[in-house]
Amino acid sequence: MPPKIDKNLCNGCPGREESRCEEICPGDLMTRGSDGKSMCREDRDCWDCMSCVKACPMNAIETVLPYQLGYYGAGMKAVSSKTRIVWKCRDINGVETVYSFKTRTD
Protein backbone atom coordinates (compact mmCIF):
# COMPACT_ATOMS: atom_id res chain seq x y z
CA MET A 1 0.00 0.00 0.00
CA PRO A 2 1.35 3.43 -0.83
CA PRO A 3 1.94 6.00 1.88
CA LYS A 4 -0.95 8.33 2.67
CA ILE A 5 0.20 11.95 2.78
CA ASP A 6 -1.74 14.54 4.73
CA LYS A 7 -1.47 17.57 2.44
CA ASN A 8 -2.47 19.85 5.34
CA LEU A 9 0.59 18.76 7.33
CA CYS A 10 3.13 18.26 4.54
CA ASN A 11 5.24 21.31 3.82
CA GLY A 12 7.54 19.70 1.23
CA CYS A 13 10.58 20.31 3.46
CA PRO A 14 11.29 23.86 2.25
CA GLY A 15 14.87 24.92 1.77
CA ARG A 16 16.03 21.41 0.91
CA GLU A 17 16.98 20.12 -2.52
CA GLU A 18 14.94 16.99 -1.78
CA SER A 19 12.28 16.47 0.84
CA ARG A 20 13.25 14.07 3.61
CA CYS A 21 10.94 11.37 2.24
CA GLU A 22 12.49 11.74 -1.25
CA GLU A 23 15.95 11.49 0.24
CA ILE A 24 15.27 8.30 2.19
CA CYS A 25 13.00 6.31 -0.15
CA PRO A 26 14.98 3.23 -1.27
CA GLY A 27 12.76 2.83 -4.35
CA ASP A 28 13.12 6.47 -5.45
CA LEU A 29 9.32 6.70 -5.39
CA MET A 30 8.77 9.87 -3.39
CA THR A 31 8.82 13.27 -5.06
CA ARG A 32 7.26 16.71 -4.78
CA GLY A 33 4.15 17.34 -6.81
CA SER A 34 3.23 20.56 -8.62
CA ASP A 35 1.79 21.81 -5.32
CA GLY A 36 5.21 21.44 -3.63
CA LYS A 37 3.89 18.67 -1.38
CA SER A 38 5.23 15.13 -1.24
CA MET A 39 3.67 12.35 -3.25
CA CYS A 40 4.43 8.78 -4.31
CA ARG A 41 5.31 8.48 -8.03
CA GLU A 42 3.95 4.95 -8.46
CA ASP A 43 1.69 3.67 -5.70
CA ARG A 44 1.85 0.07 -6.92
CA ASP A 45 5.66 0.01 -6.63
CA CYS A 46 5.78 0.97 -2.93
CA TRP A 47 6.84 -1.99 -0.80
CA ASP A 48 5.79 -0.53 2.56
CA CYS A 49 9.26 -0.12 4.07
CA MET A 50 7.93 2.88 6.04
CA SER A 51 11.16 4.85 5.67
CA CYS A 52 9.21 7.91 4.54
CA VAL A 53 6.84 7.60 7.51
CA LYS A 54 9.75 7.62 9.95
CA ALA A 55 11.66 10.40 8.15
CA CYS A 56 8.84 12.94 7.89
CA PRO A 57 9.50 15.81 10.34
CA MET A 58 5.90 17.03 9.99
CA ASN A 59 4.33 13.63 10.83
CA ALA A 60 2.39 14.01 7.57
CA ILE A 61 2.91 10.50 6.19
CA GLU A 62 1.01 7.43 7.30
CA THR A 63 1.19 3.83 6.20
CA VAL A 64 -2.24 2.47 5.45
CA LEU A 65 -2.23 -1.18 6.34
CA PRO A 66 -3.34 -3.59 3.63
CA TYR A 67 -6.82 -5.02 4.06
CA GLN A 68 -5.37 -8.45 4.79
CA LEU A 69 -3.54 -7.06 7.83
CA GLY A 70 -5.71 -4.38 9.26
CA TYR A 71 -8.94 -3.91 7.31
CA TYR A 72 -10.16 -0.53 6.12
CA GLY A 73 -9.19 2.43 8.29
CA ALA A 74 -6.21 0.84 10.04
CA GLY A 75 -2.92 2.71 9.83
CA MET A 76 0.43 3.49 11.41
CA LYS A 77 2.33 6.72 11.97
CA ALA A 78 5.76 7.25 13.43
CA VAL A 79 7.27 10.08 15.41
CA SER A 80 11.06 9.91 15.50
CA SER A 81 13.52 11.66 17.72
CA LYS A 82 17.24 11.18 18.14
CA THR A 83 16.79 8.57 20.87
CA ARG A 84 13.25 7.15 20.41
CA ILE A 85 10.70 6.21 17.82
CA VAL A 86 7.05 6.22 18.74
CA TRP A 87 4.60 4.24 16.60
CA LYS A 88 0.94 5.21 16.74
CA CYS A 89 -1.16 2.34 15.47
CA ARG A 90 -4.87 2.81 14.69
CA ASP A 91 -7.11 -0.24 14.38
CA ILE A 92 -10.29 -0.55 12.32
CA ASN A 93 -12.37 0.82 15.19
CA GLY A 94 -10.26 3.96 15.50
CA VAL A 95 -8.60 2.80 18.73
CA GLU A 96 -5.02 4.06 18.86
CA THR A 97 -2.22 2.14 20.58
CA VAL A 98 1.17 3.75 21.11
CA TYR A 99 4.48 1.88 21.14
CA SER A 100 7.73 3.59 22.07
CA PHE A 101 11.18 2.16 21.37
CA LYS A 102 14.72 3.32 21.95
CA THR A 103 16.50 3.88 18.64
CA ARG A 104 19.98 2.69 17.84
CA THR A 105 22.33 5.63 17.98
CA ASP A 106 26.04 5.91 17.38
Side-chain angles (χ1 to χ4, degrees), residues 34-78:
S34 59
D35 62 357
K37 311 269 179 162
S38 292
M39 60 175 274
C40 186
R41 293 179 213 271
E42 289 294 333
D43 291 351
R44 67 176 186 206
D45 291 339
C46 178
W47 59 75
D48 303 318
C49 74
M50 296 189 232
S51 294
C52 60
V53 175
K54 293 184 277 185
C56 180
M58 303 304 294
N59 199 26
I61 306 176
E62 178 177 357
T63 294
V64 178
L65 298 177
Y67 179 79
Q68 298 87 338
L69 294 176
Y71 300 99
Y72 181 76
M76 293 191 332
K77 278 188 152 183

Side-chain angles (χ1 to χ4, degrees), residues 72-90:
Y72 181 76
M76 293 191 332
K77 278 188 152 183
V79 178
S80 296
S81 71
K82 194 167 188 135
T83 59
R84 301 202 70 74
I85 185 164
V86 177
W87 286 99
K88 295 181 180 183
C89 304
R90 185 184 62 253

Side-chain angles (χ1 to χ4, degrees), residues 3 5 21-22 25 28-31 38-41 52 61:
I5 299 159
C21 59
E22 282 180 273
C25 181
D28 193 30
L29 297 173
M30 300 303 287
T31 188
S38 292
M39 60 175 274
C40 186
R41 293 179 213 271
C52 60
I61 306 176

